[in-house]
Amino acid sequence: MTTEQWGVRIPTKKGEDMRQALLREGILDLTLKVLHDGDNLVFPVFEEREGISRYVFEDQPGRIALPRHELVGGIAIMQENDPAGADSILASRPSLHTVLFPESEISGEYRTREYTVLAGTATTLTEVNEHGHRYKVDLANAYFSARLSTERQRIAEKTGNNECVLDMFTGVGPFAIALASRAAFIVAADLNPRAVLLLIENIRKNKAGNILPVLADARRLRRILPWQFDRIIMNLPLAGTDFLPDAFPLIRPGGTIHFYSLVSREGEHIDRIRELGGIEVTERMVRSYSPGQWHAVYDIKV
Ligand code: SAM
């Protein structure tokens, strides 16, 4: 039997990293077999994303599909409030200690949500391993998403040795820590005190001594910080372009801003970015957010 599904095509040598990332994101369709196509693999996934196509996959015989879930370290986050499904996830994945169901949308300034524990240990604390880095996260008290791991890698690969970087909405610090072994110096700021406490712990865990943690509102950074930066990361997608005027004075001429935003059409923020001083702007859709809405990243050369 065969089934048509979305497929992510990737060179075989990068296949295992991609498989792990898709598993964490909860979008790998385990009921279908991976396609081998010359030097490439094609992974079946539940969701459309930029640049992927439909493929015909062979069914994986005897594979019982687990209910859909994302993985964040030892925690699985389910899409449905399904205690029996939670037990089956916990039983099938020895690395898990807890299964959660989100009771609310991501909300508030700190971008957190409330959870019910469906199975396992009653906690929202866990440790995530991502591309050789370790992050302590507390899902109920500070934002963390496994879905951005590929983006963090992409920005890390662009970062040069002598760069000074500002992560304006750092959360528990995954972008800052992913870049720390490459950059010279990183300022990582967030408004949420619990996020900053976890960031400090994560700096210690990853021996990232070139990160300066800052508890501050991004609107005040240009008055607090005496430096200009080579690279700025702005990952607060729901804020639209509100914080861009606070970022532009902090970037040096020739520097790059990576600005994440929720958009409902291609090129939505390009005019505003050019008005503020963006010279070269490229826009990519990172993933779909809801019908008609996309998470986009704008790489802005200033
Ligand atoms: N970059 C992190 C990551 O990838 O996990 C966190 C991104 S999360 C979407 C946005 C973060 O911005 C939250 O941790 C929130 O506390 C912080 N935040 C919201 N408003 C802020 C503000 N005005 N100034 C600084 N941080 C803010």
Side-chain angles (χ1 to χ4, degrees), residues 2-271:
T2 57
T3 304
E4 194 183 300
Q5 180 59 288
W6 292 106
V8 174
R9 189 183 160 89
I10 186 99
T12 304
K13 60 177 188 302
K14 294 189 174 172
E16 186 48 27
D17 280 354
M18 179 57 78
R19 195 183 74 82
Q20 295 289 343
L22 296 173
L23 262 181
R24 280 195 299 266
E25 289 179 36
I27 63 167
L28 185 61
D29 186 343
L30 293 166
T31 64
L32 302 177
K33 285 186 178 174
V34 175
L35 271 178
H36 293 256
D37 179 12
D39 290 340
N40 293 290
L41 297 174
V42 184
F43 290 102
V45 292
F46 294 114
E47 281 178 12
E48 182 186 5
R49 49 172 61 179
E50 195 191 23
I52 75 172
S53 312
R54 303 284 288 177
Y55 292 85
V56 174
F57 295 91
E58 267 183 59
D59 293 352
Q60 189 78 266
R63 187 95 198 198
I64 299 158
L66 287 171
R68 276 193 68 182
H69 59 278
E70 247 177 77
L71 298 174
V72 178
I75 295 179
I77 305 169
M78 294 186 73
Q79 293 187 344
E80 307 288 334
N81 189 343
D82 170 9
D87 287 338
S88 64
I89 292 171
L90 198 63
S92 69
R93 295 195 184 283
S95 60
L96 293 182
H97 54 75
T98 301
V99 183
L100 300 177
F101 171 69
E103 289 290 353
S104 66
E105 292 299 314
I106 295 177
S107 64
E109 234 175 2
Y110 298 165
R111 312 305 302 142
T112 51
R113 65 201 310 188
E114 283 161 26
Y115 293 92
T116 296
V117 179
L118 294 182
T121 313
T123 183
T124 53
L125 273 171
T126 192
E127 188 169 296
V128 177
N129 286 309
E130 191 183 278
H131 297 290
H133 301 110
R134 293 190 297 148
Y135 308 117
K136 183 163 178 192
V137 307
D138 182 350
L139 292 171
N141 290 305
Y143 178 94
F144 182 85
S145 170
R147 291 181 166 227
L148 292 170
S149 65
T150 318
E151 247 327 274
R152 297 193 254 276
Q153 271 308 102
R154 183 182 77 89
I155 309 289
E157 280 163 20
K158 283 177 179 286
T159 304
N161 280 340
N162 297 316
E163 286 193 11
C164 291
V165 178
L166 170 63
D167 185 4
M168 278 176 95
F169 309 100
T170 196
V172 305
F175 272 97
I177 287 166
L179 271 55
S181 58
R182 296 193 173 238
F185 174 57
I186 300 181
V187 175
D190 203 284
L191 192 66
N192 176 357
R194 297 212 193 183
V196 175
L197 283 175
L198 288 162
L199 162 70
I200 292 168
E201 206 168 326
N202 290 331
I203 291 173
R204 187 186 55 75
K205 264 183 202 300
N206 292 278
K207 300 188 173 59
N210 56 346
I211 299 179
L212 176 68
V214 176
L215 175 64
D217 187 327
R219 291 183 187 88
R220 304 183 67 86
L221 291 176
R222 62 175 151 155
R223 271 167 281 161
I224 299 171
L225 300 175
W227 307 290
Q228 280 199 317
F229 296 85
D230 300 294
R231 195 174 293 281
I232 298 182
I233 297 153
M234 300 180 69
N235 178 24
L236 181 58
L238 273 185
T241 54
D242 295 358
F243 288 89
L244 276 176
D246 299 291
F248 271 81
L250 287 164
I251 191 92
R252 70 158 178 78
T256 303
I257 299 175
H258 303 286
F259 165 59
Y260 294 84
S261 186
L262 215 54
V263 298
S264 40
R265 65 175 170 82
E266 220 178 303
E268 189 168 320
H269 296 315
I270 291 199
D271 288 347

